[in-house]
Amino acid sequence: MKDYGYKTMELTERIGARMTDLDEAIESIHYDPDKATAEDIETLKEIQKLVEKAARLAEKTAKRLA
């Protein structure tokens, strides 16, 4: 279980560190989609991957606890 705890903490920190980037990307895309940069879209994709990884880890943890 220790391993899952460390992985969860690491993912939480990585996602948290990207929240400002996420906010800026969403704002840029929402308010002026024509000027949204590839970087904004890439930021969203990177954060989506982190969140999906966290969800998979949560599912594994739940299965181990069941």
Side-chain angles (χ1 to χ4, degrees), residues 1 4 55-66:
M1 252 356 243
Y4 285 110
R56 285 191 303 274
L57 181 62
E59 287 173 7
K60 287 179 185 178
T61 302
K63 286 178 183 177
R64 288 190 81 175
L65 292 173

Side-chain angles (χ1 to χ4, degrees), residues 31-43:
Y31 290 112
D32 202 351
D34 296 332
K35 291 186 180 178
T37 65
E39 185 179 330
D40 294 330
I41 294 167
E42 191 60 35
T43 296

